[in-house]
Amino acid sequence: MTEQELRQLLKDMSLEEKVFQMVQLPGQNFDTSAAVTGYADRQDQNDPLLSQAGSTLGIFGAAKLKAIQDTYMEKQPHHIPLLFMLDVIHGYETAFPCPLGLGATFAPKIAETCAQVSAREAAAGGIHVTFSPMADLARDARWGRVMESTGEDPYLNSQMAAAMVRGFQGEDVKEPGQVASCVKHFAAYGAAAAGLDYSNVELSRHTLREYYLGAYGAAVEAGCEMVMTSFNSWNGIPCTGNPWLMKDVLRREMGFDGVLISDWGAVGEMVNHGICEDLEQAAQKAAEAGVDIDMCADAYARHLAQLVRMGKVEERTIDDAVWRILVLKNKLGLFENPYKDADEIKEKECFLCQEHRRLAREAVRKSIVLLKNAGDDTRLLPLNREKKIAFIGPYVEGEDMRSSWVVTGSAEASVSIRQAAKEVLPAQNLLFAKGCTLLDNDTILNLDEFHMDGWEEENARLLKEAAETARQADVVVLCLGEHRRQSGEATSRTQIVLPKIQRKLLHTIAQVNDQVVSVIFSGRPLELREVSQYSRAVLEVWMPGTEGGHGIVDVLTGVYNPSGKLPMSFPYTVGQEPMSYSAYSTGRPKPEGMRGDYTTRYLDAPNEPLYPFGYGLSYTTFSISKPVLSSSSMTADGSITAAVTVKNTGDWEGTETLQLYLRDVTASCIRPVKELKGFCQVTLQPGKEQTVSFTVTEEMLRFHNPKEEYGSEPGLFRLWIGASSDCREYVEFELKPSGQ
Ligand code: GLC
């Protein structure tokens, strides 16, 4: 449609019809084959909403959505097409590593390609919009949704969020195989108090701007078509009803002109927050904050037209919202092609095709972080194919390795560790045992609980069998981890350790065989002190998805030399949470290597994590020289080049991620002891070296000062280039005042 035709369409619509465009209904209302959900369900099939709600979510499949679209458009007064939205978080049929794992690749291009393939498969399945990327900064491993983030660092998150938007949307969302991207959850959902999902967020505007808003801004800059509000309140005001956040910051400062949708039921939840008396007031508050679509709260459907008639909401507000919704549908080309890419043949051709599986396998390989590989010539990894190897643990086979945010596809399409090991290792050298159930009995999960009659007896049998198996092996590969439903939405935990029964398995095996490699599946950082104590090697593999078995075995056998780096600190203990490498010095920083009486320290634990942000080992070793600066000072309109020589000092080809950190030593407000400002990856053959340089610009030195002005301040800066955030050796340079 031309803009003129679209304007005319808006003019021709009645108030009710316009309001209905701002309503999103659960997909189950259209897909009579699925159970209704209770929320905003329409029992009466003649309900006008069923032919006028502007969008729906949670249903998928080319044939199904084409049929729904036909029925809907026939009845819609102006035959305006329905928008189909879905949580395609890290894959559709082909499930890639969960976003925290993609963050561990430190390779935005990988995240972009995974998003591109996810979009291709989802578009074939009839989807128009995905609720991804999640750009929430995540620094508290008790919060289960860290799984959906790319971690604790604003710069890494910004790079990843922008890459995923590009992957989902391409150059033009109308193009085949592209979907519109909805970045979420605006804003600062990851700072939920005590790691408790949906809870309040207390952040100064300074901290909000300095750490939490950047990645959403990067997604907006990359052109995301939608933004989703977050469930949490921020400083006492629910984000979904916060005009400062949604209008001043998102629309005016960030320049976002797309569609703003609430999270599921979040408009109505403002009554529970205690800021609205009823659904009518909630509808008014959300509309005033500029929320264009009410996801499944029924607030707009029931009250918005009346609020306009009562003069409590201006019709102009409705027109602006509906205009943005119509523009999005037009950008997707839906007026000309309401099915967009829904195509049963394309589904069959592209779902889980070899090209997609190959990419998924590569993403798994690059997401894996080698946390420990003890000894020099006695190292256990990569595995020695001549040795007898026992794969033991609940993740050897039979457990879904995809995250809890995969709503499509099937676990059966996944490649297990057992299957992958049998493909490449000599059968006569292979042993397998389940070892134990993944969960302790009566474990509470979201929407579920694990209970097994005879759990004790079954695990006694499994443990005995596992010990027998371990006795016969030279090396044991223990495949342990969280259950997929122990991370994701509504999965906050106060203890972030492996289930007791798995720790019992670890001890049982260690008593009979101390040559243990532990492979850890998780959607969050876990406390791994005990695992590290009883393992000679430890790999973190996140929730790796469809090609998990292949990618993990590729790393175990050395087909791929691990290159992943931690996107989130792994704490020494959960008591340190929330934590980040990018912390403040405090007035009494604990002196290195000293007791630190009367300083910032714990009496019962170190300040440092067990494994820091940016950390990850390789089968080879690298040396990185001290940075050399092109100058010891720069002016605001200049720059400095910082160069290092990195050398592969081991005997394996490998990839190192060089990380550039800066510190503003003295400023008009306190600044973190380190901030990631750049990274790049270098692949070197043994013995080879390469000079790598970063250009430091004035823009990289900017921050929000106490007056919320964004800029740099002259003074002394420190610069590190290392292979982890705990790199030590730095050089200094000065930003001179302008004109000097
Ligand atoms: C959920 C999540 C959000 C998701 C939405 C639609 O509650 O918070 O991330 O996109 O509802 O499923």
Side-chain angles (χ1 to χ4, degrees):
M1 264 196 183
T2 63
E3 179 168 343
Q4 191 184 352
E5 289 168 328
L6 217 55
R7 292 277 179 208
Q8 189 54 52
L9 170 60
L10 181 60
K11 273 205 188 89
D12 296 344
M13 293 165 77
S14 69
L15 175 61
E16 270 71 15
E17 193 185 349
K18 287 188 283 192
V19 165
F20 286 160
Q21 283 296 307
M22 299 168 71
V23 173
Q24 180 166 93
L25 285 185
Q28 292 78 354
N29 286 276
F30 298 93
D31 171 13
T32 46
S33 67
V36 286
T37 61
Y39 239 126
D41 287 321
R42 289 302 181 275
Q43 308 305 336
D44 167 12
Q45 287 309 309
N46 296 316
D47 186 309
L49 258 182
L50 292 178
S51 58
Q52 297 200 47
S55 60
T56 184
L57 81 161
I59 48 176
F60 45 88
K64 180 189 296 183
L65 299 195
K66 283 158 73 173
I68 290 169
Q69 189 71 286
D70 288 343
T71 309
Y72 172 91
M73 286 181 70
E74 197 179 307
K75 294 182 184 168
Q76 209 288 335
H78 287 90
H79 312 300
I80 299 170
L82 179 63
L83 261 186
F84 292 108
M85 304 192 191
L86 185 69
D87 292 284
V88 185
I89 306 302
H90 54 97
Y92 183 80
E93 284 293 317
T94 309
F96 296 101
C98 68
L100 197 55
L102 290 176
T105 66
F106 270 70
K109 193 61 192 161
I110 285 278
E112 180 173 344
T113 312
C114 290
Q116 199 173 25
V117 167
S118 304
R120 194 180 302 151
E121 292 190 354
I127 299 304
H128 303 145
V129 178
T130 176
F131 298 124
S132 181
M134 177 209 188
D136 305 340
L137 188 74
R139 295 183 161 181
D140 192 332
R142 296 172 297 178
W143 187 57
R145 300 199 74 165
V146 300
M147 178 274 287
E148 306 163 57
S149 79
T150 47
E152 72 181 61
D153 183 76
Y155 178 78
L156 178 62
N157 287 353
S158 297
Q159 297 295 307
M160 288 290 170
M164 291 172 82
V165 169
R166 290 192 299 269
F168 286 126
Q169 298 190 163
E171 292 302 314
D172 178 351
V173 287
K174 196 179 293 181
E175 287 302 308
Q178 308 295 169
V179 295
S181 164
C182 176
V183 71
K184 64 189 184 183
H185 305 82
F186 198 75
Y189 186 16
L196 263 177
D197 209 351
Y198 315 118
S199 71
N200 186 41
V201 165
E202 280 299 331
L203 289 176
S204 66
R205 282 173 45 147
H206 169 76
T207 301
L208 179 74
R209 288 183 181 285
E210 196 59 8
Y211 295 103
Y212 286 84
L213 292 181
Y216 306 116
V220 170
E221 209 169 314
C224 67
E225 294 293 350
M226 289 184 67
V227 172
M228 182 188 294
T229 70
S230 58
F231 285 122
N232 57 286
S233 52
W234 167 68
N235 293 359
I237 308 285
C239 294
T240 303
N242 190 316
W244 180 75
L245 269 180
M246 301 304 165
K247 291 187 165 178
D248 295 348
V249 176
L250 180 62
R251 296 242 186 242
R252 190 168 52 75
E253 291 180 20
M254 292 185 178
F256 177 64
D257 61 2
V259 174
L260 178 62
I261 188 170
S262 76
D263 202 338
W264 184 299
V267 173
E269 288 173 10
M270 288 197 279
V271 178
N272 301 337
H273 277 290
I275 199 168
C276 296
E277 282 176 10
D278 52 30
L279 213 51
E280 177 182 322
Q281 206 179 51
Q284 180 176 352
K285 191 166 275 292
E288 285 166 354
V291 176
D292 298 326
I293 297 178
D294 165 10
M295 183 193 289
C296 305
D298 243 8
Y300 282 8
R302 291 173 190 227
H303 300 289
L304 199 48
Q306 191 55 15
L307 284 164
V308 171
R309 289 202 186 85
M310 291 152 64
K312 290 189 172 182
V313 171
E314 290 181 25
E315 185 152 6
R316 172 64 194 271
T317 301
I318 309 303
D319 289 348
D320 291 347
V322 176
W323 174 249
R324 290 188 282 263
I325 295 165
L326 294 178
V327 165
L328 175 58
K329 294 185 177 184
N330 204 34
K331 279 183 173 181
L332 287 159
L334 297 183
F335 289 99
E336 290 75 30
N337 172 14
Y339 299 161
K340 194 166 185 306
D341 305 322
D343 182 326
E344 297 90 317
I345 295 169
K346 267 194 201 148
E347 285 181 320
K348 289 188 181 56
E349 283 169 356
C350 79
F351 287 179
L352 295 163
C353 66
Q354 283 316 305
E355 181 207 341
H356 295 179
R357 280 187 177 271
R358 186 196 53 70
L359 172 67
R361 183 170 185 163
E362 182 192 2
V364 174
R365 288 174 170 182
K366 293 186 172 176
S367 69
I368 291 173
V369 183
L370 178 60
L371 298 174
K372 180 179 179 181
N373 197 15
D376 295 323
D377 51 0
T378 62
R379 296 181 312 171
L380 292 184
L381 291 180
L383 294 172
N384 178 338
R385 295 162 183 268
E386 304 312 312
K387 300 266 187 182
K388 196 168 275 296
I389 303 166
F391 287 85
I392 298 175
Y395 266 113
V396 170
E397 65 175 337
E399 279 299 336
D400 193 343
M401 297 178 286
R402 303 169 309 147
S403 89
S404 55
W405 255 124
V406 179
V407 296
T408 53
S410 70
E412 287 63 44
S414 295
V415 177
S416 69
I417 287 180
R418 180 183 181 124
Q419 180 188 338
K422 288 172 72 173
E423 286 174 5
V424 294
L425 293 171
Q428 67 276 15
N429 288 351
L430 278 180
L431 297 163
F432 298 98
K434 181 173 179 179
C436 67
T437 57
L438 195 149
L439 289 170
D440 297 323
N441 220 7
D442 305 322
T443 300
I444 304 291
L445 299 170
N446 191 43
L447 290 179
D448 200 351
E449 177 176 336
F450 171 73
H451 174 78
M452 172 195 265
D453 293 336
W455 179 86
E456 293 280 351
E457 298 74 12
E458 172 64 358
N459 275 291
R461 182 187 68 78
L462 289 171
L463 286 166
K464 185 168 181 293
E465 177 193 61
E468 274 314 303
T469 306
R471 277 196 189 87
Q472 301 165 47
D474 300 316
V475 180
V476 175
V477 179
L478 260 183
C479 304
L480 309 171
E482 273 190 314
H483 187 276
R484 65 188 290 259
R485 304 277 297 274
Q486 286 186 297
S487 61
E489 185 171 352
T491 60
S492 299
R493 296 171 66 193
T494 59
Q495 298 305 318
I496 52 174
V497 291
L498 290 173
K500 249 198 300 304
I501 191 63
Q502 290 190 36
R503 299 199 323 263
K504 187 171 180 179
L505 173 62
L506 172 65
H507 289 271
T508 303
I509 298 303
Q511 279 164 7
V512 297
N513 188 325
D514 61 2
Q515 301 299 295
V516 174
V517 175
S518 285
V519 176
I520 303 298
F521 291 72
S522 70
R524 71 173 88 213
L526 295 177
E527 268 187 40
L528 295 179
R529 287 199 321 276
E530 196 177 9
V531 168
S532 179
Q533 182 184 351
Y534 289 99
S535 310
R536 301 201 58 233
V538 182
L539 287 173
E540 170 63 41
V541 300
W542 314 107
M543 296 312 291
T546 306
E547 283 291 317
H550 278 149
I552 291 165
V553 169
D554 288 345
V555 168
L556 286 169
T557 57
V559 166
Y560 183 79
N561 179 1
S563 57
K565 297 284 186 179
L566 291 181
M568 258 187 101
S569 312
F570 272 51
Y572 181 87
T573 168
V574 69
Q576 295 173 309
E577 295 293 334
M579 75 181 311
S580 167
Y581 80 92
S582 188
Y584 292 121
S585 154
T586 82
R588 296 191 176 185
K590 180 179 176 296
E592 184 93 29
M594 293 172 67
R595 272 168 57 93
D597 297 314
Y598 289 106
T599 66
T600 303
R601 61 140 191 195
Y602 297 107
L603 291 179
D604 56 357
N607 290 356
E608 295 74 24
L610 185 66
Y611 302 113
F613 171 85
Y615 169 85
L617 300 176
S618 168
Y619 294 153
T620 190
T621 50
F622 294 94
S623 66
I624 302 173
S625 69
K626 182 173 180 176
V628 174
L629 299 181
S630 58
S631 167
S632 59
S633 67
M634 63 181 274
T635 54
D637 57 357
S639 64
I640 280 181
T641 302
V644 292
T645 301
V646 54
K647 182 175 182 180
N648 183 336
T649 51
D651 47 17
W652 278 79
E653 179 188 69
T655 298
E656 183 57 289
T657 301
L658 297 173
Q659 301 153 45
L660 169 71
Y661 294 95
L662 294 177
R663 177 180 185 177
D664 188 345
V665 178
T666 309
S668 57
C669 62
I670 57 174
R671 310 280 292 111
V673 294
K674 270 192 186 111
E675 291 179 285
L676 181 70
K677 291 293 182 183
F679 56 82
C680 71
Q681 295 183 320
V682 177
T683 301
L684 292 170
Q685 290 291 339
K688 298 296 183 193
E689 64 182 43
Q690 183 176 326
T691 299
V692 175
S693 60
F694 291 90
T695 300
V696 178
T697 62
E698 180 270 337
E699 194 179 349
M700 292 156 80
L701 312 181
R702 294 178 188 170
F703 65 100
H704 295 89
N705 69 20
K707 296 184 202 124
E708 295 186 57
E709 295 153 346
Y710 186 61
S712 60
E713 294 175 4
L716 185 66
F717 288 83
R718 286 180 186 157
L719 179 145
W720 295 260
I721 297 176
S724 166
S725 61
D726 65 355
C727 50
R728 292 275 194 288
E729 199 167 35
Y730 63 84
V731 291
E732 294 184 333
F733 66 90
E734 189 188 356
L735 174 64
K736 287 190 174 303
S738 303
Q740 273 203 18

